[in-house]
């Protein structure tokens, strides 16, 4: 029988060639962007399934189209598994992305113009946490807290003062580029003092919470947790809003019909699969290994020449100041490492004097490398390559040789979903 991929090869060789090229890129290099990962073969199967053909506006048992007996099963499975994995009362698995899930929370629980207290973009917050260039930054009154210039910790005196002064309706913690864990109890105490809803954007570390390797905000009484499904959770691209029952109806109405139309049922099937995987003992081991690898890589980089924002990591990522470490801006550092088949991403650092496309740092993370089976001893080798390349950015022969070494090394580690 002809497989779907064989049809693609025969009938659209241009797309097929790009797909094969990307497969080989993912196989032969080391993926260190902290928000990327390798998903499971079962997730790829669900994503490429006939669920992509189906419209399912509404929710299980209350749809606007017929033919929903299997989509209802799938969405109920995904919701129930999400509630079990994250120990929460309600789950909405329909958001198409991380931005949509955060927008759904703000638009569902607040009124335009309401105040939200959240982390500043250059200190690690996400665009949807109120960056002035985002629509959310225009629609709501965001007040932004920053981190301590010396140790990178969150200054809770400042957060409390801002909360007392601005009376936010929502207090948001969570990050896209911050290498430390969160003091949920401290955030909750401040929110309670001013009557704010508590929300964590756990997109980066959702998988580490699911795997019990990092703290769960619901254990501290948080109201809402959002997470993308494709980062440390290792699922398809998508988002989830998890919340207490009292917010369930507002959240569901906000996602549909407030913000979105038809959910992507193939992605929801893949989220269900992802959450079954997240309940297995192997996933807990994976989550712990992600943290051990990050800790080792951070230490090994700092033992060489690297300066890391906050002086290390508590989670899966580190933010390297490439200007002070190597005299390179983040764009050049990213390009140098790309030449050696080591993929990172340029990143602004706290109060970065440089613009976002030429920032002062890069982000490095371990979820994808760990998914391939890399362990602490491999992190020592990665640190050595990263340091050597960034010390010698003009040495084309060295970069080419390192690329060969990296590709040989990577052959030992099968890529989930590909092999
Ligand atoms: N793009 C994601 C990240 O890389 O962290 C956040 O949206």
């Amino acid at each position: 029988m002809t497989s779907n991929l064989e049809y693609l090869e025969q009938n659209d060789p241009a797309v097929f060639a790009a797909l094969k090229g990307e497969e080989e890129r993912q196989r032969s290099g080391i993926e260190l962007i902290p928000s990327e990962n390798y998903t499971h073969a079962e997730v790829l199967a669900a994503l490429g399934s006939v669920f992509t053909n189906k419209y399912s506006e509404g929710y299980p048992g209350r749809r606007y189209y017929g033919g929903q007996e299997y989509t209802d099963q799938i969405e109920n499975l995904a919701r129930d598994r999400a509630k079990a994995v994250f120990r929460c009362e309600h789950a909405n698995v329909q958001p198409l992305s991380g931005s949509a899930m955060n927008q759904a929370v703000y638009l569902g629980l607040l009124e335009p113009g309401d105040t939200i207290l959240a982390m500043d973009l250059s200190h690690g917050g996400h665009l949807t946490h109120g960056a002035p260039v985002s629509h959310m930054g225009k629609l709501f009154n965001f007040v932004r807290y920053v981190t301590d210039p010396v140790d990178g910790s969150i200054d809770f005196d400042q957060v409390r003062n801002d909360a007392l002064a601005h009376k936010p309706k929502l207090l948001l913690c969570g990050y896209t580029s911050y290498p430390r864990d969160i003091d949920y109890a401290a955030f909750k105490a401040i929110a309670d003092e001013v009557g704010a809803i508590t929300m964590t954007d756990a997109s980066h570390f959702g998988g580490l919470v699911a795997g019990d390797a990092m703290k769960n905000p619901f254990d501290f009484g948080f109201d809402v947790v959002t997470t993308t499904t494709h980062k440390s959770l290792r699922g398809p691209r998508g988002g989830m809003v998890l919340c207490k029952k009292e917010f369930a109806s507002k959240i569901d109405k906000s996602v549909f019909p407030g913000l979105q139309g038809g959910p992507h049922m193939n992605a929801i099937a893949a989220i269900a699969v992802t959450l079954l995987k997240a309940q297995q003992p192997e996933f807990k081991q994976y989550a712990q290994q992600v943290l051990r690898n990050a800790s080792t890589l951070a230490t090994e980089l700092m033992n060489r020449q690297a300066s890391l924002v906050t002086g290390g990591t508590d989670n899966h990522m580190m933010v390297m100041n490439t200007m002070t470490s190597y005299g390179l801006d983040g764009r050049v550092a990213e390009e140098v490492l790309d030449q050696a088949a080591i993929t990172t991403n340029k990143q602004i650092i706290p109060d970065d004097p440089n613009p976002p496309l030429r920032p002062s740092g890069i982000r490095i993370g371990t979820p994808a490398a760990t998914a391939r089976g890399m362990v602490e001893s491999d992190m020592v080798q990665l640190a050595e390559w990263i340091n050597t390349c960034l010390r010698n950015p003009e040495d084309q022969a060295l970069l080419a040789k390192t690329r060969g070494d990296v590709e040989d090394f990577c052959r030992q580690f099968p890529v989930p979903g590909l092999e």
Side-chain angles (χ1 to χ4, degrees):
M1 202 174 88
T2 310
S3 73
N4 290 348
L5 267 182
E6 285 164 341
Y7 275 120
L8 183 64
E9 181 175 17
Q10 284 164 21
N11 297 327
D12 195 336
V15 168
F16 182 79
L19 190 154
K20 285 287 148 188
E22 177 62 14
E23 272 186 18
E24 190 46 31
R25 189 194 70 79
Q26 293 194 15
R27 194 182 274 119
S28 62
I30 298 173
E31 180 52 70
L32 291 177
I33 294 174
S35 49
E36 295 190 12
N37 214 328
Y38 298 105
T39 196
H40 312 281
E42 299 90 330
V43 166
L44 293 176
L47 274 177
S49 72
V50 292
F51 280 116
T52 198
N53 298 337
K54 191 72 197 103
Y55 257 124
S56 308
E57 269 105 327
Y59 290 99
R62 284 185 298 118
R63 304 278 193 192
Y64 291 82
Y65 292 73
Q68 304 291 347
E69 53 268 49
Y70 298 108
T71 49
D72 277 7
Q73 282 178 29
I74 284 298
E75 189 164 350
N76 279 328
L77 270 176
R79 295 199 302 194
D80 290 344
R81 288 175 182 173
K83 287 191 279 183
V85 166
F86 289 96
R87 300 191 292 281
C88 62
E89 293 172 353
H90 182 71
N92 187 307
V93 296
Q94 293 195 1
L96 303 177
S97 72
S99 291
M101 85 199 168
N102 286 344
Q103 289 173 32
V105 176
Y106 308 153
L107 294 165
L109 303 186
L110 309 176
E111 296 297 326
D114 278 353
T115 298
I116 302 174
L117 186 52
M119 197 178 210
D120 184 79
L121 182 77
S122 88
H123 290 253
H126 186 245
L127 278 172
T128 56
H129 299 177
V133 291
S134 83
H135 289 312
M136 292 301 104
K138 298 184 179 98
L139 206 52
F140 294 96
N141 174 39
F142 278 89
V143 177
R144 295 174 206 90
Y145 54 85
V146 297
T147 53
D148 184 277
V150 178
D151 66 5
S153 63
I154 292 170
D155 179 348
F156 282 100
D157 289 336
Q158 187 222 327
V159 176
R160 181 167 179 272
N161 288 342
D162 284 344
L164 292 173
H166 298 282
K167 299 277 185 292
K169 291 270 174 54
L170 189 142
L171 181 51
L172 170 59
C173 60
Y175 47 76
T176 203
S177 181
Y178 183 66
R180 295 296 177 183
D181 201 0
I182 295 172
D183 186 343
Y184 296 109
F187 273 113
K188 174 80 172 115
I190 293 169
D192 285 350
E193 220 178 321
V194 297
I197 294 167
T198 39
M199 170 178 171
T200 303
D201 179 347
S203 292
H204 261 263
F205 49 93
L208 305 176
V209 173
D212 287 332
M214 289 186 75
K215 293 180 296 204
N216 183 335
F218 287 118
D219 292 343
F220 297 83
F222 266 56
D223 297 313
V224 182
V225 176
T226 55
T227 181
T228 49
T229 47
H230 48 277
K231 296 187 177 91
S232 53
L233 195 53
R234 299 188 57 189
R237 304 194 84 81
M240 297 194 288
V241 181
L242 313 163
C243 63
K244 289 182 177 167
K245 220 178 205 131
E246 64 189 276
F247 301 105
S249 167
K250 283 185 173 170
I251 291 294
D252 283 355
K253 282 189 190 129
S254 183
V255 173
F256 172 84
L259 195 62
Q260 297 184 175
H264 293 181
M265 290 311 301
N266 57 328
I268 290 177
I271 288 171
V273 173
T274 301
L275 292 166
L276 180 65
K277 290 267 183 193
Q279 289 170 305
Q280 309 309 311
E282 299 78 26
F283 192 81
K284 292 193 191 321
Q285 289 160 16
Y286 163 75
Q288 295 287 354
Q289 189 64 47
V290 167
L291 295 188
R292 283 196 293 271
N293 283 352
S295 171
T296 303
L297 184 53
T299 304
E300 292 295 328
L301 285 168
M302 290 187 296
N303 285 347
R304 290 167 173 83
Q305 201 170 324
S307 156
L308 300 185
V309 172
T310 81
T313 180
D314 296 330
N315 57 24
H316 61 296
M317 80 164 95
M318 52 221 79
V319 182
M320 184 194 291
N321 185 332
T322 51
M323 287 302 294
T324 53
S325 307
Y326 300 99
L328 305 174
D329 70 46
R331 187 175 90 176
V332 172
E334 176 193 294
E335 286 170 359
V336 167
L337 292 172
D338 261 343
Q339 287 184 62
I342 298 170
T343 312
T344 60
N345 75 279
K346 62 180 98 47
Q347 180 64 43
I348 50 173
I349 62 169
D351 301 320
D352 203 323
N354 294 322
L357 284 174
R358 278 209 103 105
S360 302
I362 55 173
R363 271 188 325 177
I364 299 174
T366 54
T370 308
R372 292 183 78 164
M374 293 181 197
V375 295
E376 290 93 320
S377 51
D378 303 310
M379 298 301 115
V380 180
Q381 176 63 80
L382 295 197
E384 184 59 28
W385 278 325
I386 291 169
N387 181 58
T388 306
C389 291
L390 294 181
R391 281 178 68 160
N392 300 283
E394 312 275 349
D395 189 337
Q396 297 306 319
L398 175 111
L399 296 178
K401 178 180 180 316
T402 307
R403 184 181 192 96
D405 292 345
V406 165
E407 288 175 350
D408 286 346
F409 173 80
C410 283
R411 275 188 258 282
Q412 302 167 59
F413 301 97
V415 174
L418 282 184
E419 262 79 45

